[in-house]
Amino acid sequence: MFRYLFNKKKNRLNKYHWSLYNLNRFLNLQRILVVLFLIVLFSILRISDNRIKFGKYNYVFDRETILEIRSSHFYNITIAQSDSLRMLRFDMSSIQGVIHLKNPFIILLNYMRLQFLCLLWKSEPERILIIGLGAGILPKIFHYLSSNTLIDVVEIDSEIMNLAQKYFDFNENDHIRVYIEDGQHFIKRQPSNQYDVIIIDAFTVKNHVPHKLRTSRCIAEYLRTLKSTGLVIGNFFYEQEIRYRQIYKRALFKQIYRGIIQNNHILIGLNQQAKIFNQTELQLRARNLQQSKPLFDINWVDETKYIHIEYDDE
């Protein structure tokens, strides 16, 4: 009887120890799984913190190669590359242009897609003025889409021009001319009623449009050199957009459209004889543009959803 009770107690103890052993193994396994989960999570966060997505393309800074760093009178300019993407930026942070080396006509920057929506109003513009060269993507693709258009580009920094030629396959031709000078001085020298489209895409190292290019007086000069049916497109960082929109309203544009995307806002100001289109009309014109001027990886109709008409009662 005593032995039976002893064995029974012993069995209970063995089961107890076995349960503790299993519990301990389970807890250890849990700890291992938690550690593995944290490692994976950290890796994902680390990767996401070290890359920028341009649509379906990733620029991974951990795989970046610095091709050249050059200082000018205005900027510290970095040319860098990650896999098939090549980038121009100011002071290691402010991205001024990105191209896909295997297909340079992919528009990687979302705000730049909206700048091309000026073609909804002017599908074959006679003359375009672009203030700010960057990597030369805008004039190059405008020329690709509308080969007869005369494109004037104003860039204050000759080093930007040199680097655009060296690393981004940008070159002047019979239809693209670059002027190395201050944008405000250039616009004052131009005759009236000359351009179909004026695009302001110039930034300081702090991501501000240069003050001289965003005053009411300068915008009045844009309107003077613009054809009566023309339009002005300004590219701004989102935190500055409200202030610039007020300046555009004071400049007496016939109508203002807002292109709203992450980080950047686009303002489209129509001169007095330009046609005002509602959202449905913009989509119809975008369908025509999709047929007449298709561009790789872009659906022009989809891009119109970012364009909103600015009403006075706002």
Side-chain angles (χ1 to χ4, degrees), residues 117 120 279-280 282-291 298-307:
L117 291 183
L120 298 178
Q279 199 69 31
T280 301
L282 287 175
Q283 290 176 358
L284 288 173
R285 298 180 74 83
R287 289 191 184 96
N288 294 332
L289 193 63
Q290 189 68 36
Q291 293 179 350
I298 279 191
N299 185 318
W300 293 116
V301 179
D302 286 346
E303 297 302 319
T304 61
K305 68 186 178 185
Y306 300 108
I307 300 296

Side-chain angles (χ1 to χ4, degrees), residues 186-197:
F186 178 87
I187 201 80
K188 283 183 176 179
R189 292 192 292 103
Q190 301 312 302
S192 301
N193 194 36
Q194 180 168 215
Y195 292 107
D196 295 288
V197 180

Side-chain angles (χ1 to χ4, degrees), residues 129-133 152-154 183 187 198-202 213 222:
L129 171 63
I130 301 172
I131 300 179
L133 175 64
D152 293 335
V153 184
V154 182
I187 201 80
I198 297 175
I199 298 176
I200 303 101
D201 196 18
L213 297 178
Y222 299 152

Side-chain angles (χ1 to χ4, degrees), residues 232-234 236 241 244-245 248 257-258 265-269:
V232 174
I233 297 179
F236 310 105
E241 190 263 351
Y244 296 162
R245 180 154 40 97
Y248 270 53
Y257 292 80
R258 302 167 66 200
H265 281 197
I266 299 294
L267 291 179
I268 301 174

Side-chain angles (χ1 to χ4, degrees), residues 150-183:
L150 294 176
I151 303 169
D152 293 335
V153 184
V154 182
E155 172 55 56
I156 198 170
D157 191 345
S158 61
E159 294 296 344
I160 296 290
M161 174 66 172
N162 295 335
L163 292 169
Q165 291 175 320
K166 182 176 179 180
Y167 291 104
F168 297 92
D169 195 30
F170 172 78
N171 290 290
E172 295 178 278
N173 56 38
D174 291 342
H175 290 82
I176 301 176
R177 296 174 295 186
V178 178
Y179 300 87
I180 304 299
E181 62 176 292
D182 183 284

Side-chain angles (χ1 to χ4, degrees), residues 46-47 51-52 60 69 74 85 88 92 96 169 252 259 283 297 299 307:
R46 187 171 181 272
I47 290 171
R51 69 174 59 193
I52 298 178
V60 183
I69 297 177
F74 301 95
L85 300 186
L88 182 153
M92 296 297 290
Q96 301 299 311
D169 195 30
L252 301 179
Q283 290 176 358
D297 210 25
N299 185 318
I307 300 296

Side-chain angles (χ1 to χ4, degrees), residues 113-287:
R113 295 174 179 230
L114 300 190
Q115 290 172 319
F116 284 100
L117 291 183
C118 66
L119 297 174
L120 298 178
W121 282 268
K122 298 282 184 177
S123 60
E124 293 290 338
E126 291 182 7
R127 197 161 188 175
I128 293 175
L129 171 63
I130 301 172
I131 300 179
L133 175 64
I137 299 166
L138 271 177
K140 189 160 63 175
I141 296 182
F142 268 121
H143 181 61
Y144 174 78
L145 293 172
S146 184
S147 59
N148 292 322
T149 300
L150 294 176
I151 303 169
D152 293 335
V153 184
V154 182
E155 172 55 56
I156 198 170
D157 191 345
S158 61
E159 294 296 344
I160 296 290
M161 174 66 172
N162 295 335
L163 292 169
Q165 291 175 320
K166 182 176 179 180
Y167 291 104
F168 297 92
D169 195 30
F170 172 78
N171 290 290
E172 295 178 278
N173 56 38
D174 291 342
H175 290 82
I176 301 176
R177 296 174 295 186
V178 178
Y179 300 87
I180 304 299
E181 62 176 292
D182 183 284
Q184 184 190 38
H185 295 160
F186 178 87
I187 201 80
K188 283 183 176 179
R189 292 192 292 103
Q190 301 312 302
S192 301
N193 194 36
Q194 180 168 215
Y195 292 107
D196 295 288
V197 180
I198 297 175
I199 298 176
I200 303 101
D201 196 18
F203 287 94
T204 67
V205 293
K206 295 182 178 180
N207 288 327
H208 287 272
V209 176
H211 176 72
K212 292 187 293 185
L213 297 178
R214 55 182 167 87
T215 62
S216 297
R217 181 176 297 178
C218 188
I219 293 176
E221 287 294 309
Y222 299 152
L223 284 168
R224 180 186 62 79
T225 60
L226 201 64
K227 293 180 182 178
S228 61
T229 57
L231 57 152
V232 174
I233 297 179
N235 175 29
F236 310 105
F237 272 75
Y238 68 96
E239 71 270 14
Q240 308 154 14
E241 190 263 351
I242 293 177
R243 183 169 70 252
Y244 296 162
R245 180 154 40 97
Q246 292 170 348
I247 296 172
Y248 270 53
K249 283 185 176 181
R250 290 199 297 270
L252 301 179
F253 284 104
K254 179 181 180 180
Q255 184 62 58
I256 297 172
Y257 292 80
R258 302 167 66 200
I260 303 173
I261 55 174
Q262 186 178 12
N263 296 329
N264 289 70
H265 281 197
I266 299 294
L267 291 179
I268 301 174
L270 304 186
N271 211 350
Q272 294 304 312
Q273 299 300 317
K275 292 184 179 180
I276 298 174
F277 300 121
N278 60 31
Q279 199 69 31
T280 301
E281 291 169 327
L282 287 175
Q283 290 176 358
L284 288 173
R285 298 180 74 83
R287 289 191 184 96

